[in-house]
């Protein structure tokens, strides 16, 4: 939603709100630990005065690189916030991450590289 509100990043900076549905998967097809999100995002948004629907350009909505970086940084900030509030538990092999320095190093390692965002057109279209 934040990326959709960035005038330089999108073709519909006039939009007030977009629709979003996200599902968190924690495992990949091979049943190995692989946390990832599947999202369905509307192809447009309501005008700022909420009087009408404004569709995005046919082949462009959210720039993938910008979306990746904003999501990564927001995710990191919220994870750090949860850690600071004592909302995370670390057990077994992850127990060392309960220490602030170890957790910071973990976050640094996980967020210093580009995150993969794969975007494609929906399988179906509006009826």
């Amino acid at each position: 939603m934040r990326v959709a509100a960035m005038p330089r990043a999108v073709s519909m900076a006039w939009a007030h709100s977009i629709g979003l549905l996200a599902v968190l998967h924690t495992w990949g097809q091979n049943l190995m630990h692989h946390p990832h999100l599947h999202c369905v995002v509307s192809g447009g948004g309501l005008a700022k005065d909420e009087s009408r629907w404004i569709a995005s350009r046919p082949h462009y909505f959210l720039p993938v690189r910008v979306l990746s970086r904003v999501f990564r940084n927001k995710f990191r900030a919220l994870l750090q916030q949860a850690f600071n509030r004592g909302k995370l538990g670390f057990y077994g092999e992850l127990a060392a991450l309960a220490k602030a320095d170890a957790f910071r190093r973990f976050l640094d390692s996980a967020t210093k590289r580009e995150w993969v965002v794969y975007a494609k057109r929906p399988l179906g279209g509006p009826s």
Side-chain angles (χ1 to χ4, degrees):
M1 302 272 191
R2 177 173 293 208
V3 176
M6 297 170 68
R8 292 183 54 198
V10 297
S11 61
M12 39 175 270
W14 33 255
H16 174 67
S17 61
I18 62 170
L20 171 76
L21 169 72
V23 177
L24 172 64
H25 284 181
T26 55
W27 305 99
Q29 291 179 345
N30 60 1
L31 299 182
M32 299 295 288
H33 184 71
H34 177 69
H36 61 282
L37 288 174
H38 291 264
C39 301
V40 178
V41 181
S42 62
L46 290 176
K48 289 183 180 181
D49 65 1
E50 299 183 357
S51 65
R52 60 191 161 75
W53 178 262
I54 303 175
S56 66
R57 294 180 190 161
H59 301 290
Y60 179 80
F61 179 44
L62 301 175
V64 173
R65 180 170 283 166
V66 174
L67 181 63
S68 173
R69 290 176 181 169
V70 169
F71 178 77
R72 178 190 63 204
N73 295 337
K74 184 70 171 174
F75 187 87
R76 178 192 173 114
L78 291 172
L79 202 54
Q80 183 67 59
Q81 186 178 76
F83 179 85
N84 294 345
R85 292 180 177 173
K87 300 286 186 180
L88 302 178
F90 301 99
Y91 308 96
E93 295 177 11
L94 300 177
L97 292 176
K99 296 179 181 175
D101 285 344
F103 187 73
R104 183 188 46 76
R105 285 191 304 274
F106 168 76
L107 281 183
D108 288 346
S109 173
T111 58
K112 71 179 177 184
R113 62 188 97 146
E114 293 292 330
W115 284 20
V116 175
V117 170
Y118 175 71
K120 65 178 185 176
R121 296 181 62 79
L123 297 175
S127 50

